[in-house]
Amino acid sequence: MPGQCCVPKCTNKGGHRFPKDEIVRRSWIQAVKRGEPNWEPSTWTVVCSSHFDECDYNGRTQEGEVFRLKSLKKNAVPHLFPWRRESRSSTERKQRARKRLRLEDNDMAACPDVHVGAYEEAVHDENGKSAVQTDSRPQLEKETQTASKGITANDYQFKDKLFHRYTGLENYNNFDMVFTSFGSSVMNMSYYYGFQPVKELRDQFFLTLIKLRMNRLNWELADMFKITEKEVTNIFVTWVNFIYFHMKDLDWWPSRELVHYYAPTDFRRKFSSTRVIVDGTEMPLKKAKQPIVQQATYSTYKNRNTVKALVGVTPGGLVSYISDIYGGSASDRQICERSTLMRCMDSGDSIMADKGFNVQDLFIPAM
């Protein structure tokens, strides 16, 4: 007799046994939320297929004219639960976003959903009979397999305007130069979830730049690159940390001559001694469970939990200084006192800031 699904409030019979891989197994245990301390699944404990979606399975196979799912992926984790059902408005937003993406990215790589959908609709005519000839079906399957790879950096090798829009880099050559500067260290990265993604390293870097530049949601990137949301997280978190540790020792502080040279003409004429324009920048943060962390990150100005940093920009628009990150409860003055900005300034330099940024006395010795 098949066992009952172990997910609370689920009455389905049969399903997938817990994986043997310890990391994935722990993820399953955490996901099903049994609510029992030190609960461990037995050999026969199962999670039914209703808690997985199509992305959690290894492709699809055709049996007659019906498409059936294959085996579960080794790194798949159950994530469809009654307590995580999306609201109607959330679902509608996703549908509108997908429609916008298709309209916006017509000149990007062809969308696999269009190929697969067109193929499935063409399988039956209005009388229920096959409307696709046998000799044309292999060609459709070949197009579907090609499209299922998703977009790649090479797709934009000769599309400078699009490449700049999605990554912030002027063209593919600049992208290749930055990627090459990482050297052989990219081959030895330790990934966030502990497994190597199937995407090429250049495409992983491409995905990371799109996320940073466009602030695309993970499910949007998963749809564009034809991977799971978990793989998107695995790639993005790993690469952000890798880029940080690789570039943190670079000196981003430009000389006074460079700042003056690239400043707008009118700005240079009126504020010739300005070296940097500073402001306290806050970024929203998910509310922590620990009360002490909640207190440290709560911002009365934003009325929510945030992290805060002192950011400096040259008159020409280059981000030349970023302080350490502090909780949203920290004041601008506290962050300035603890920053290294005062040591970066030279005698005679001016700092431009908002009128509420009262830190003039801190920089008097540096003038």
Side-chain angles (χ1 to χ4, degrees), residues 23-53:
I23 296 176
V24 183
R25 183 183 179 87
R26 286 286 123 196
S27 300
W28 280 45
I29 294 173
Q30 185 177 4
V32 299
K33 296 186 183 299
R34 290 286 299 180
E36 304 170 16
N38 302 322
W39 179 81
E40 288 288 337
S42 67
T43 307
W44 306 105
T45 305
V46 296
V47 176
C48 71
S49 58
S50 62
H51 304 296
F52 301 89
D53 57 27

PDB file of all heavy atoms in Angstrom, residues 23-53:
ATOM      1  N   ILE A  23      22.144  17.198   2.124  1.00  0.00           N
ATOM      2  CA  ILE A  23      21.794  18.614   1.968  1.00  0.00           C
ATOM      3  C   ILE A  23      20.375  18.760   1.434  1.00  0.00           C
ATOM      4  O   ILE A  23      19.555  19.521   1.957  1.00  0.00           O
ATOM      5  CB  ILE A  23      22.801  19.319   1.037  1.00  0.00           C
ATOM      6  CG1 ILE A  23      24.195  19.308   1.667  1.00  0.00           C
ATOM      7  CG2 ILE A  23      22.362  20.756   0.736  1.00  0.00           C
ATOM      8  CD1 ILE A  23      25.273  19.901   0.786  1.00  0.00           C
ATOM      9  N   VAL A  24      20.069  17.999   0.373  1.00  0.00           N
ATOM     10  CA  VAL A  24      18.722  18.070  -0.209  1.00  0.00           C
ATOM     11  C   VAL A  24      17.691  17.505   0.764  1.00  0.00           C
ATOM     12  O   VAL A  24      16.574  18.023   0.893  1.00  0.00           O
ATOM     13  CB  VAL A  24      18.676  17.310  -1.547  1.00  0.00           C
ATOM     14  CG1 VAL A  24      17.301  17.448  -2.204  1.00  0.00           C
ATOM     15  CG2 VAL A  24      19.758  17.817  -2.487  1.00  0.00           C
ATOM     16  N   ARG A  25      18.073  16.456   1.486  1.00  0.00           N
ATOM     17  CA  ARG A  25      17.163  15.842   2.465  1.00  0.00           C
ATOM     18  C   ARG A  25      16.779  16.861   3.552  1.00  0.00           C
ATOM     19  O   ARG A  25      15.610  16.962   3.940  1.00  0.00           O
ATOM     20  CB  ARG A  25      17.855  14.625   3.084  1.00  0.00           C
ATOM     21  CG  ARG A  25      17.002  13.828   4.076  1.00  0.00           C
ATOM     22  CD  ARG A  25      17.833  12.699   4.663  1.00  0.00           C
ATOM     23  NE  ARG A  25      17.081  11.914   5.626  1.00  0.00           N
ATOM     24  CZ  ARG A  25      16.304  10.886   5.324  1.00  0.00           C
ATOM     25  NH1 ARG A  25      16.163  10.522   4.067  1.00  0.00           N
ATOM     26  NH2 ARG A  25      15.667  10.217   6.259  1.00  0.00           N
ATOM     27  N   ARG A  26      17.771  17.611   4.050  1.00  0.00           N
ATOM     28  CA  ARG A  26      17.495  18.642   5.061  1.00  0.00           C
ATOM     29  C   ARG A  26      16.559  19.708   4.512  1.00  0.00           C
ATOM     30  O   ARG A  26      15.699  20.225   5.213  1.00  0.00           O
ATOM     31  CB  ARG A  26      18.808  19.291   5.500  1.00  0.00           C
ATOM     32  CG  ARG A  26      19.674  18.430   6.398  1.00  0.00           C
ATOM     33  CD  ARG A  26      19.109  18.333   7.800  1.00  0.00           C
ATOM     34  NE  ARG A  26      18.879  16.938   8.164  1.00  0.00           N
ATOM     35  CZ  ARG A  26      18.131  16.532   9.156  1.00  0.00           C
ATOM     36  NH1 ARG A  26      17.476  17.398   9.886  1.00  0.00           N
ATOM     37  NH2 ARG A  26      17.960  15.254   9.407  1.00  0.00           N
ATOM     38  N   SER A  27      16.750  20.047   3.233  1.00  0.00           N
ATOM     39  CA  SER A  27      15.880  21.046   2.602  1.00  0.00           C
ATOM     40  C   SER A  27      14.442  20.553   2.536  1.00  0.00           C
ATOM     41  O   SER A  27      13.500  21.314   2.747  1.00  0.00           O
ATOM     42  CB  SER A  27      16.389  21.373   1.192  1.00  0.00           C
ATOM     43  OG  SER A  27      17.698  21.900   1.233  1.00  0.00           O
ATOM     44  N   TRP A  28      14.260  19.262   2.254  1.00  0.00           N
ATOM     45  CA  TRP A  28      12.913  18.675   2.227  1.00  0.00           C
ATOM     46  C   TRP A  28      12.272  18.741   3.615  1.00  0.00           C
ATOM     47  O   TRP A  28      11.107  19.127   3.755  1.00  0.00           O
ATOM     48  CB  TRP A  28      12.987  17.227   1.750  1.00  0.00           C
ATOM     49  CG  TRP A  28      13.089  17.044   0.275  1.00  0.00           C
ATOM     50  CD1 TRP A  28      13.888  17.724  -0.575  1.00  0.00           C
ATOM     51  CD2 TRP A  28      12.375  16.096  -0.523  1.00  0.00           C
ATOM     52  NE1 TRP A  28      13.730  17.271  -1.856  1.00  0.00           N
ATOM     53  CE2 TRP A  28      12.804  16.268  -1.859  1.00  0.00           C
ATOM     54  CE3 TRP A  28      11.436  15.110  -0.246  1.00  0.00           C
ATOM     55  CZ2 TRP A  28      12.306  15.494  -2.904  1.00  0.00           C
ATOM     56  CZ3 TRP A  28      10.938  14.328  -1.289  1.00  0.00           C
ATOM     57  CH2 TRP A  28      11.375  14.524  -2.610  1.00  0.00           C
ATOM     58  N   ILE A  29      13.042  18.363   4.627  1.00  0.00           N
ATOM     59  CA  ILE A  29      12.507  18.338   5.997  1.00  0.00           C
ATOM     60  C   ILE A  29      12.083  19.738   6.418  1.00  0.00           C
ATOM     61  O   ILE A  29      11.032  19.928   7.034  1.00  0.00           O
ATOM     62  CB  ILE A  29      13.557  17.762   6.972  1.00  0.00           C
ATOM     63  CG1 ILE A  29      13.831  16.279   6.656  1.00  0.00           C
ATOM     64  CG2 ILE A  29      13.111  17.921   8.416  1.00  0.00           C
ATOM     65  CD1 ILE A  29      14.966  15.674   7.444  1.00  0.00           C
ATOM     66  N   GLN A  30      12.895  20.728   6.073  1.00  0.00           N
ATOM     67  CA  GLN A  30      12.567  22.103   6.432  1.00  0.00           C
ATOM     68  C   GLN A  30      11.357  22.604   5.651  1.00  0.00           C
ATOM     69  O   GLN A  30      10.543  23.365   6.175  1.00  0.00           O
ATOM     70  CB  GLN A  30      13.767  23.004   6.159  1.00  0.00           C
ATOM     71  CG  GLN A  30      13.576  24.444   6.610  1.00  0.00           C
ATOM     72  CD  GLN A  30      14.811  25.279   6.388  1.00  0.00           C
ATOM     73  OE1 GLN A  30      15.789  24.809   5.833  1.00  0.00           O
ATOM     74  NE2 GLN A  30      14.763  26.523   6.815  1.00  0.00           N
ATOM     75  N   ALA A  31      11.229  22.159   4.403  1.00  0.00           N
ATOM     76  CA  ALA A  31      10.151  22.655   3.543  1.00  0.00           C
ATOM     77  C   ALA A  31       8.771  22.139   3.960  1.00  0.00           C
ATOM     78  O   ALA A  31       7.789  22.882   3.911  1.00  0.00           O
ATOM     79  CB  ALA A  31      10.430  22.277   2.089  1.00  0.00           C
ATOM     80  N   VAL A  32       8.671  20.868   4.387  1.00  0.00           N
ATOM     81  CA  VAL A  32       7.349  20.291   4.672  1.00  0.00           C
ATOM     82  C   VAL A  32       6.752  20.797   5.975  1.00  0.00           C
ATOM     83  O   VAL A  32       5.552  20.660   6.209  1.00  0.00           O
ATOM     84  CB  VAL A  32       7.411  18.743   4.698  1.00  0.00           C
ATOM     85  CG1 VAL A  32       7.852  18.206   3.356  1.00  0.00           C
ATOM     86  CG2 VAL A  32       8.353  18.242   5.794  1.00  0.00           C
ATOM     87  N   LYS A  33       7.573  21.397   6.858  1.00  0.00           N
ATOM     88  CA  LYS A  33       7.091  22.041   8.092  1.00  0.00           C
ATOM     89  C   LYS A  33       6.162  21.114   8.905  1.00  0.00           C
ATOM     90  O   LYS A  33       4.987  21.399   9.123  1.00  0.00           O
ATOM     91  CB  LYS A  33       6.353  23.347   7.756  1.00  0.00           C
ATOM     92  CG  LYS A  33       7.239  24.393   7.117  1.00  0.00           C
ATOM     93  CD  LYS A  33       6.500  25.701   6.954  1.00  0.00           C
ATOM     94  CE  LYS A  33       7.349  26.744   6.243  1.00  0.00           C
ATOM     95  NZ  LYS A  33       8.581  27.071   6.958  1.00  0.00           N
ATOM     96  N   ARG A  34       6.720  20.010   9.364  1.00  0.00           N
ATOM     97  CA  ARG A  34       5.946  19.079  10.175  1.00  0.00           C
ATOM     98  C   ARG A  34       5.596  19.652  11.551  1.00  0.00           C
ATOM     99  O   ARG A  34       4.613  19.266  12.176  1.00  0.00           O
ATOM    100  CB  ARG A  34       6.737  17.774  10.366  1.00  0.00           C
ATOM    101  CG  ARG A  34       6.862  16.945   9.104  1.00  0.00           C
ATOM    102  CD  ARG A  34       5.590  16.247   8.742  1.00  0.00           C
ATOM    103  NE  ARG A  34       5.173  15.311   9.785  1.00  0.00           N
ATOM    104  CZ  ARG A  34       4.092  14.559   9.718  1.00  0.00           C
ATOM    105  NH1 ARG A  34       3.296  14.638   8.674  1.00  0.00           N
ATOM    106  NH2 ARG A  34       3.782  13.750  10.699  1.00  0.00           N
ATOM    107  N   GLY A  35       6.417  20.561  12.051  1.00  0.00           N
ATOM    108  CA  GLY A  35       6.134  21.176  13.345  1.00  0.00           C
ATOM    109  C   GLY A  35       6.468  20.307  14.534  1.00  0.00           C
ATOM    110  O   GLY A  35       6.105  20.627  15.671  1.00  0.00           O
ATOM    111  N   GLU A  36       7.152  19.182  14.302  1.00  0.00           N
ATOM    112  CA  GLU A  36       7.542  18.277  15.378  1.00  0.00           C
ATOM    113  C   GLU A  36       9.042  18.405  15.611  1.00  0.00           C
ATOM    114  O   GLU A  36       9.830  18.314  14.666  1.00  0.00           O
ATOM    115  CB  GLU A  36       7.205  16.835  15.010  1.00  0.00           C
ATOM    116  CG  GLU A  36       5.732  16.631  14.668  1.00  0.00           C
ATOM    117  CD  GLU A  36       5.484  15.258  14.074  1.00  0.00           C
ATOM    118  OE1 GLU A  36       6.351  14.380  14.208  1.00  0.00           O
ATOM    119  OE2 GLU A  36       4.423  15.072  13.456  1.00  0.00           O
ATOM    120  N   PRO A  37       9.481  18.650  16.843  1.00  0.00           N
ATOM    121  CA  PRO A  37      10.922  18.799  17.111  1.00  0.00           C
ATOM    122  C   PRO A  37      11.697  17.522  16.782  1.00  0.00           C
ATOM    123  O   PRO A  37      11.262  16.417  17.106  1.00  0.00           O
ATOM    124  CB  PRO A  37      10.976  19.127  18.611  1.00  0.00           C
ATOM    125  CG  PRO A  37       9.682  18.631  19.172  1.00  0.00           C
ATOM    126  CD  PRO A  37       8.665  18.770  18.082  1.00  0.00           C
ATOM    127  N   ASN A  38      12.822  17.703  16.086  1.00  0.00           N
ATOM    128  CA  ASN A  38      13.714  16.590  15.723  1.00  0.00           C
ATOM    129  C   ASN A  38      13.025  15.522  14.886  1.00  0.00           C
ATOM    130  O   ASN A  38      13.367  14.340  14.960  1.00  0.00           O
ATOM    131  CB  ASN A  38      14.304  15.953  16.990  1.00  0.00           C
ATOM    132  CG  ASN A  38      15.066  16.949  17.833  1.00  0.00           C
ATOM    133  OD1 ASN A  38      15.759  17.822  17.311  1.00  0.00           O
ATOM    134  ND2 ASN A  38      14.934  16.842  19.148  1.00  0.00           N
ATOM    135  N   TRP A  39      12.022  15.939  14.099  1.00  0.00           N
ATOM    136  CA  TRP A  39      11.328  14.966  13.242  1.00  0.00           C
ATOM    137  C   TRP A  39      12.245  14.497  12.118  1.00  0.00           C
ATOM    138  O   TRP A  39      12.928  15.290  11.475  1.00  0.00           O
ATOM    139  CB  TRP A  39      10.075  15.598  12.647  1.00  0.00           C
ATOM    140  CG  TRP A  39       9.316  14.658  11.731  1.00  0.00           C
ATOM    141  CD1 TRP A  39       8.455  13.674  12.086  1.00  0.00           C
ATOM    142  CD2 TRP A  39       9.385  14.649  10.292  1.00  0.00           C
ATOM    143  NE1 TRP A  39       7.970  13.041  10.970  1.00  0.00           N
ATOM    144  CE2 TRP A  39       8.529  13.608   9.852  1.00  0.00           C
ATOM    145  CE3 TRP A  39      10.086  15.391   9.362  1.00  0.00           C
ATOM    146  CZ2 TRP A  39       8.353  13.318   8.503  1.00  0.00           C
ATOM    147  CZ3 TRP A  39       9.912  15.104   8.000  1.00  0.00           C
ATOM    148  CH2 TRP A  39       9.056  14.079   7.587  1.00  0.00           C
ATOM    149  N   GLU A  40      12.266  13.189  11.889  1.00  0.00           N
ATOM    150  CA  GLU A  40      13.059  12.602  10.824  1.00  0.00           C
ATOM    151  C   GLU A  40      12.181  11.656  10.012  1.00  0.00           C
ATOM    152  O   GLU A  40      11.421  10.863  10.577  1.00  0.00           O
ATOM    153  CB  GLU A  40      14.253  11.824  11.385  1.00  0.00           C
ATOM    154  CG  GLU A  40      15.363  12.698  11.961  1.00  0.00           C
ATOM    155  CD  GLU A  40      16.141  13.416  10.871  1.00  0.00           C
ATOM    156  OE1 GLU A  40      16.134  12.933   9.721  1.00  0.00           O
ATOM    157  OE2 GLU A  40      16.749  14.455  11.172  1.00  0.00           O
ATOM    158  N   PRO A  41      12.231  11.732   8.676  1.00  0.00           N
ATOM    159  CA  PRO A  41      11.418  10.825   7.846  1.00  0.00           C
ATOM    160  C   PRO A  41      11.983   9.414   7.858  1.00  0.00           C
ATOM    161  O   PRO A  41      13.193   9.212   7.991  1.00  0.00           O
ATOM    162  CB  PRO A  41      11.528  11.455   6.459  1.00  0.00           C
ATOM    163  CG  PRO A  41      12.844  12.158   6.477  1.00  0.00           C
ATOM    164  CD  PRO A  41      13.018  12.668   7.878  1.00  0.00           C
ATOM    165  N   SER A  42      11.086   8.455   7.727  1.00  0.00           N
ATOM    166  CA  SER A  42      11.519   7.059   7.639  1.00  0.00           C
ATOM    167  C   SER A  42      11.842   6.713   6.191  1.00  0.00           C
ATOM    168  O   SER A  42      11.725   7.553   5.292  1.00  0.00           O
ATOM    169  CB  SER A  42      10.413   6.138   8.164  1.00  0.00           C
ATOM    170  OG  SER A  42       9.286   6.178   7.292  1.00  0.00           O
ATOM    171  N   THR A  43      12.206   5.451   5.975  1.00  0.00           N
ATOM    172  CA  THR A  43      12.541   5.009   4.615  1.00  0.00           C
ATOM    173  C   THR A  43      11.348   5.119   3.684  1.00  0.00           C
ATOM    174  O   THR A  43      11.491   5.346   2.480  1.00  0.00           O
ATOM    175  CB  THR A  43      13.036   3.547   4.645  1.00  0.00           C
ATOM    176  OG1 THR A  43      14.098   3.434   5.603  1.00  0.00           O
ATOM    177  CG2 THR A  43      13.535   3.105   3.277  1.00  0.00           C
ATOM    178  N   TRP A  44      10.123   4.979   4.253  1.00  0.00           N
ATOM    179  CA  TRP A  44       8.911   4.938   3.426  1.00  0.00           C
ATOM    180  C   TRP A  44       8.140   6.251   3.450  1.00  0.00           C
ATOM    181  O   TRP A  44       7.054   6.330   2.881  1.00  0.00           O
ATOM    182  CB  TRP A  44       8.014   3.786   3.898  1.00  0.00           C
ATOM    183  CG  TRP A  44       8.741   2.476   3.925  1.00  0.00           C
ATOM    184  CD1 TRP A  44       9.203   1.807   5.012  1.00  0.00           C
ATOM    185  CD2 TRP A  44       9.124   1.699   2.794  1.00  0.00           C
ATOM    186  NE1 TRP A  44       9.856   0.658   4.659  1.00  0.00           N
ATOM    187  CE2 TRP A  44       9.817   0.554   3.277  1.00  0.00           C
ATOM    188  CE3 TRP A  44       8.963   1.840   1.417  1.00  0.00           C
ATOM    189  CZ2 TRP A  44      10.333  -0.413   2.445  1.00  0.00           C
ATOM    190  CZ3 TRP A  44       9.476   0.868   0.578  1.00  0.00           C
ATOM    191  CH2 TRP A  44      10.150  -0.237   1.094  1.00  0.00           C
ATOM    192  N   THR A  45       8.663   7.266   4.112  1.00  0.00           N
ATOM    193  CA  THR A  45       7.977   8.559   4.133  1.00  0.00           C
ATOM    194  C   THR A  45       8.056   9.207   2.757  1.00  0.00           C
ATOM    195  O   THR A  45       9.114   9.221   2.129  1.00  0.00           O
ATOM    196  CB  THR A  45       8.616   9.505   5.173  1.00  0.00           C
ATOM    197  OG1 THR A  45       8.631   8.853   6.446  1.00  0.00           O
ATOM    198  CG2 THR A  45       7.824  10.800   5.288  1.00  0.00           C
ATOM    199  N   VAL A  46       6.924   9.743   2.287  1.00  0.00           N
ATOM    200  CA  VAL A  46       6.873  10.293   0.932  1.00  0.00           C
ATOM    201  C   VAL A  46       6.265  11.698   0.926  1.00  0.00           C
ATOM    202  O   VAL A  46       5.577  12.097   1.868  1.00  0.00           O
ATOM    203  CB  VAL A  46       6.058   9.389  -0.021  1.00  0.00           C
ATOM    204  CG1 VAL A  46       6.728   8.044  -0.194  1.00  0.00           C
ATOM    205  CG2 VAL A  46       4.629   9.235   0.477  1.00  0.00           C
ATOM    206  N   VAL A  47       6.549  12.419  -0.156  1.00  0.00           N
ATOM    207  CA  VAL A  47       5.916  13.702  -0.455  1.00  0.00           C
ATOM    208  C   VAL A  47       5.286  13.565  -1.833  1.00  0.00           C
ATOM    209  O   VAL A  47       5.975  13.209  -2.799  1.00  0.00           O
ATOM    210  CB  VAL A  47       6.934  14.862  -0.454  1.00  0.00           C
ATOM    211  CG1 VAL A  47       6.263  16.171  -0.867  1.00  0.00           C
ATOM    212  CG2 VAL A  47       7.575  15.009   0.913  1.00  0.00           C
ATOM    213  N   CYS A  48       3.992  13.828  -1.955  1.00  0.00           N
ATOM    214  CA  CYS A  48       3.297  13.584  -3.216  1.00  0.00           C
ATOM    215  C   CYS A  48       3.674  14.612  -4.282  1.00  0.00           C
ATOM    216  O   CYS A  48       4.210  15.681  -3.986  1.00  0.00           O
ATOM    217  CB  CYS A  48       1.783  13.552  -3.013  1.00  0.00           C
ATOM    218  SG  CYS A  48       1.060  15.160  -2.638  1.00  0.00           S
ATOM    219  N   SER A  49       3.341  14.290  -5.530  1.00  0.00           N
ATOM    220  CA  SER A  49       3.760  15.125  -6.667  1.00  0.00           C
ATOM    221  C   SER A  49       3.047  16.464  -6.729  1.00  0.00           C
ATOM    222  O   SER A  49       3.478  17.358  -7.463  1.00  0.00           O
ATOM    223  CB  SER A  49       3.511  14.359  -7.976  1.00  0.00           C
ATOM    224  OG  SER A  49       2.142  14.016  -8.095  1.00  0.00           O
ATOM    225  N   SER A  50       1.957  16.644  -5.961  1.00  0.00           N
ATOM    226  CA  SER A  50       1.234  17.916  -6.013  1.00  0.00           C
ATOM    227  C   SER A  50       2.023  19.053  -5.380  1.00  0.00           C
ATOM    228  O   SER A  50       1.643  20.228  -5.499  1.00  0.00           O
ATOM    229  CB  SER A  50      -0.123  17.785  -5.305  1.00  0.00           C
ATOM    230  OG  SER A  50       0.055  17.478  -3.934  1.00  0.00           O
ATOM    231  N   HIS A  51       3.135  18.727  -4.694  1.00  0.00           N
ATOM    232  CA  HIS A  51       3.959  19.756  -4.058  1.00  0.00           C
ATOM    233  C   HIS A  51       5.180  20.124  -4.915  1.00  0.00           C
ATOM    234  O   HIS A  51       6.087  20.811  -4.451  1.00  0.00           O
ATOM    235  CB  HIS A  51       4.410  19.278  -2.676  1.00  0.00           C
ATOM    236  CG  HIS A  51       3.269  18.899  -1.787  1.00  0.00           C
ATOM    237  ND1 HIS A  51       2.330  19.807  -1.359  1.00  0.00           N
ATOM    238  CD2 HIS A  51       2.895  17.690  -1.286  1.00  0.00           C
ATOM    239  CE1 HIS A  51       1.434  19.185  -0.600  1.00  0.00           C
ATOM    240  NE2 HIS A  51       1.754  17.897  -0.552  1.00  0.00           N
ATOM    241  N   PHE A  52       5.206  19.629  -6.170  1.00  0.00           N
ATOM    242  CA  PHE A  52       6.254  19.979  -7.125  1.00  0.00           C
ATOM    243  C   PHE A  52       5.606  20.526  -8.390  1.00  0.00           C
ATOM    244  O   PHE A  52       4.416  20.273  -8.650  1.00  0.00           O
ATOM    245  CB  PHE A  52       7.100  18.744  -7.482  1.00  0.00           C
ATOM    246  CG  PHE A  52       7.780  18.090  -6.309  1.00  0.00           C
ATOM    247  CD1 PHE A  52       7.140  17.097  -5.567  1.00  0.00           C
ATOM    248  CD2 PHE A  52       9.060  18.458  -5.941  1.00  0.00           C
ATOM    249  CE1 PHE A  52       7.765  16.485  -4.487  1.00  0.00           C
ATOM    250  CE2 PHE A  52       9.701  17.855  -4.867  1.00  0.00           C
ATOM    251  CZ  PHE A  52       9.045  16.884  -4.127  1.00  0.00           C
ATOM    252  N   ASP A  53       6.368  21.280  -9.168  1.00  0.00           N
ATOM    253  CA  ASP A  53       5.862  21.726 -10.460  1.00  0.00           C
ATOM    254  C   ASP A  53       6.714  21.124 -11.579  1.00  0.00           C
ATOM    255  O   ASP A  53       7.621  20.338 -11.324  1.00  0.00           O
ATOM    256  CB  ASP A  53       5.830  23.261 -10.567  1.00  0.00           C
ATOM    257  CG  ASP A  53       7.198  23.885 -10.334  1.00  0.00           C
ATOM    258  OD1 ASP A  53       8.225  23.201 -10.592  1.00  0.00           O
ATOM    259  OD2 ASP A  53       7.259  25.043  -9.891  1.00  0.00           O
TER     260      ASP A  53
END
